[in-house]
Amino acid sequence: MTDESKNDVFFMNEAVTLAQKAYAIGEVPIGAIVVCNEQIIGRGYNRREIDFDPLAHAELIALKQASQHLKSWRLLDCTLYVTVEPCPMCAGALVNARVKRLVFGCQDPKAGAALSLFNICNDARLNHRLDITPGVQEEACANLLKDFFKELRKCSH
């Protein structure tokens, strides 16, 4: 295992911990962190339901914290780790923030905008593209989602 992949596992585990916080408050369990120079400078987990905010996605919360930390909206040398492939809104935010690299856990065939459904992060028509590493801690990330939705369906019957 390379140093980069060891770091990816370490940082994705931090994102999984945040996703578990979302799960605990009844939110879709997605967690995200922004890393710059091997330091976590932004953290987020889904808070749409609890904050009544359609923009309260894990990635956007983490990006905002990172931007405030760096005092810049440009996150040029940063990596965003997220447990699930970003949606179109979040993928667009990554491009706009000039994030260097995206690492995600599991793909989202219904809303994924980095590989699955759209390829916003590497669309040649846009002014910025990201390096993408999918599938880091994929099973743990996917299981969180499966367990959450299985529990949700059980409660709604």
Side-chain angles (χ1 to χ4, degrees), residues 28-85:
V28 175
I30 298 175
I33 62 169
V34 177
V35 174
C36 189
N37 298 322
E38 298 190 31
Q39 298 272 311
I40 298 173
I41 61 168
R43 290 178 167 82
Y45 54 89
N46 272 10
R47 296 183 54 91
R48 290 188 307 173
E49 303 293 337
I50 203 164
D51 289 347
F52 309 109
D53 183 355
L55 303 178
H57 286 212
E59 298 96 322
L60 297 185
I61 294 166
L63 289 172
K64 185 173 184 176
Q65 273 189 17
S67 292
Q68 290 170 343
H69 176 85
L70 294 176
K71 297 184 179 7
S72 175
W73 61 267
R74 290 179 187 90
L75 302 175
L76 298 170
D77 293 317
C78 297
T79 299
L80 182 117
Y81 291 84
V82 62
T83 55
V84 180
E85 180 182 5

Side-chain angles (χ1 to χ4, degrees), residues 100-151:
K100 182 176 184 177
R101 185 167 175 248
L102 165 65
V103 179
F104 66 84
C106 59
Q107 287 186 252
D108 183 350
K110 292 184 179 177
L115 289 175
S116 299
L117 194 58
F118 301 106
N119 194 353
I120 292 171
C121 294
N122 279 309
D123 190 317
R125 296 169 296 181
L126 300 174
N127 64 342
H128 179 75
R129 284 169 281 296
L130 288 75
D131 294 330
I132 300 174
T133 304
V136 175
Q137 297 296 81
E138 183 173 13
E139 191 175 339
C141 296
N143 285 341
L144 258 178
L145 286 171
K146 286 177 194 164
D147 293 347
F148 176 80
F149 286 111
K150 186 176 176 184
E151 194 173 301

